[in-house]
C-alpha cells in the first residue's frame, strides 16, 4: 500500500541546535515528496518539495530535506533551530489515485518544540 | 483573490442537520482537495478533483459526505445528518499541475465545524 510515515509524534531541540524531522514513504514509481508546516493558529504552508534532480532540496525559512531513495526517506533538516520554528510539520507524498490520476496523502504530523 | 478562501470560518450546527462548506480555490489551479483535521492532528484525505476527470472520492468517510466542484472552480462539501464525530476543521487546498509551484498545495484557512 502507498503510504507516508512520520515515526516521531514530537521532537524537542534547543535553540541553535540542528534539527531533524523524519519521514519515510512507500510508493510505486518515482516519488513526489513534500513538507508542509502548520504554525499555531495559522494555516498550512508549503515548505519544500522533491520532484527530481538534486537529492538535497532547500525550502523556506532555512529548511532543507534530503531525498534518500535506498532508505525511502525524506527527512527535514535545519542547521540551527529557532524558537519560532516550533510548529506542526507534515510530510506528504503524491500517490496514484483511485480514478487514474494522482492525489497527495499526508503523514500524521510531527510536533516540533524548540526551547530557548 | 490572492489565496484559497473558505466559508464559513466557523459553523456550529445541531446533530442531524445538514451543512455546506464552501471553497474558492486560486484561479487557474486545476486540482482541488478537501481534508479533515481533528484537534490539531493529522490531515485526513476526503476527496480530490482534477480538471474534468472524475473526482477521487476514496476518502469520504460515509455516504453522508459529498462534494461538488462547479465549472472547475468553486467547490462545496456537504455533510448530511451531521454527527458529533464530524466535528473537525475542514481544509481545502488547490494546486497547479504544471509550471511554477506544480503540485504544491495552497491551503485555505479552514472551516471549524462543531456539531452539538
Amino acid at each position: 500500500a502507498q503510504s507516508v510515515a512520520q515515526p516521531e509524534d514530537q521532537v524537542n531541540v534547543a535553540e541553535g541546535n540542528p534539527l531533524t524531522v523524519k519521514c519515510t514513504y512507500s510508493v510505486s514509481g518515482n516519488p513526489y515528496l513534500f513538507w508542509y508546516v502548520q504554525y499555531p493558529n495559522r494555516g498550512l504552508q508549503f515548505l519544500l518539495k522533491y520532484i527530481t534532480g538534486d537529492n538535497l532540496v532547500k525550502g523556506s525559512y532555512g529548511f532543507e530535506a534530503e531525498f534518500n531513495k535506498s532508505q525511502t526517506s525524506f527527512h527535514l533538516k535545519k542547521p540551527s533551530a529557532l524558537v519560532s520554528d516550533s510548529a506542526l510539520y507534515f510530510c506528504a507524498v503524491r500517490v496514484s489515485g483511485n480514478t487514474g490520476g494522482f492525489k497527495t496523502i499526508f503523514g500524521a504530523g510531527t510536533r516540533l518544540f524548540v526551547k530557548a | 483573490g490572492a489565496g484559497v478562501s473558505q466559508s464559513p470560518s466557523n459553523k456550529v450546527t445541531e446533530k442531524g442537520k445538514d451543512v455546506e462548506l464552501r471553497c474558492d480555490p486560486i484561479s487557474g489551479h486545476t486540482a482541488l482537495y478537501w481534508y479533515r483535521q481533528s484537534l490539531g492532528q493529522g490531515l485526513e484525505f476526503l476527496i480530490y478533483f482534477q480538471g474534468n476527470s472524475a473526482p477521487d472520492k476514496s476518502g469520504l468517510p460515509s455516504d453522508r459526505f459529498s462534494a461538488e466542484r462547479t465549472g472547475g472552480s468553486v467547490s462545496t462539501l456537504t455533510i448530511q445528518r451531521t454527527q458529533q464525530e464530524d466535528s473537525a476543521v475542514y481544509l481545502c487546498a488547490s494546486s497547479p499541475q504544471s509550471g511554477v509551484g506544480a503540485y504544491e498545495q495552497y491551503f485555505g484557512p479552514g472551516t471549524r465545524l462543531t456539531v452539538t
Side-chain angles (χ1 to χ4, degrees):
Chain A
Q2 302 184 100
S3 63
V4 57
Q6 293 180 244
E8 303 153 316
D9 291 336
Q10 184 171 310
V11 170
N12 298 308
V13 297
E15 189 173 35
N17 283 1
L19 70 87
T20 299
V21 183
K22 295 180 181 177
C23 173
T24 59
Y25 64 90
S26 174
V27 300
S28 53
N30 294 320
Y32 290 18
L33 298 157
F34 307 83
W35 277 100
Y36 289 83
V37 60
Q38 188 173 37
Y39 295 104
N41 300 315
R42 291 171 60 181
L44 271 155
Q45 300 176 32
F46 168 81
L47 268 183
L48 51 78
K49 69 182 177 186
Y50 171 82
I51 305 295
T52 186
D54 195 348
N55 289 347
L56 184 65
V57 294
K58 295 185 183 295
S60 307
Y61 311 120
F63 283 92
E64 58 189 30
E66 185 167 15
F67 168 61
N68 187 316
K69 188 173 183 178
S70 62
Q71 297 186 5
T72 61
S73 67
F74 189 56
H75 301 332
L76 182 70
K77 300 182 180 184
K78 187 173 183 181
S80 178
L82 299 173
V83 172
S84 57
D85 292 330
S86 298
L88 186 56
Y89 290 81
F90 291 98
C91 183
V93 62
R94 188 168 174 255
V95 301
S96 302
N98 288 38
T99 54
F102 294 89
K103 63 185 179 186
T104 301
I105 59 173
F106 284 74
T110 298
R111 196 165 294 278
L112 173 67
F113 288 100
V114 181
K115 188 168 59 175
Chain B
V4 177
S5 60
Q6 292 186 245
S7 61
S9 54
N10 280 284
K11 177 71 176 179
V12 181
T13 190
E14 292 180 354
K15 177 181 173 181
K17 300 283 190 182
D18 298 352
V19 295
E20 283 190 353
L21 311 180
R22 177 186 169 104
C23 172
D24 283 85
I26 293 173
S27 178
H29 283 191
T30 56
L32 187 148
Y33 297 80
W34 283 99
Y35 298 93
R36 180 166 70 175
Q37 186 177 30
S38 302
L39 294 173
Q41 299 303 309
L43 271 68
E44 177 186 5
F45 167 79
L46 296 177
I47 188 169
Y48 163 55
F49 296 90
Q50 169 52 41
N52 296 321
S53 301
D56 184 333
K57 304 179 182 180
S58 59
L60 295 178
S62 77
D63 59 7
R64 296 186 296 105
F65 288 72
S66 63
E68 291 184 341
R69 188 178 185 191
T70 54
S73 181
V74 172
S75 178
T76 302
L77 177 69
T78 301
I79 308 173
Q80 296 179 311
R81 305 181 302 281
T82 52
Q83 303 294 313
Q84 288 186 330
E85 60 263 29
D86 299 335
S87 296
V89 175
Y90 289 81
L91 294 168
C92 175
S94 70
S95 171
Q97 297 300 94
S98 63
V100 175
Y103 315 116
E104 299 167 18
Q105 293 189 40
Y106 296 77
F107 282 83
T111 294
R112 183 176 298 278
L113 175 65
T114 304
V115 182
T116 62

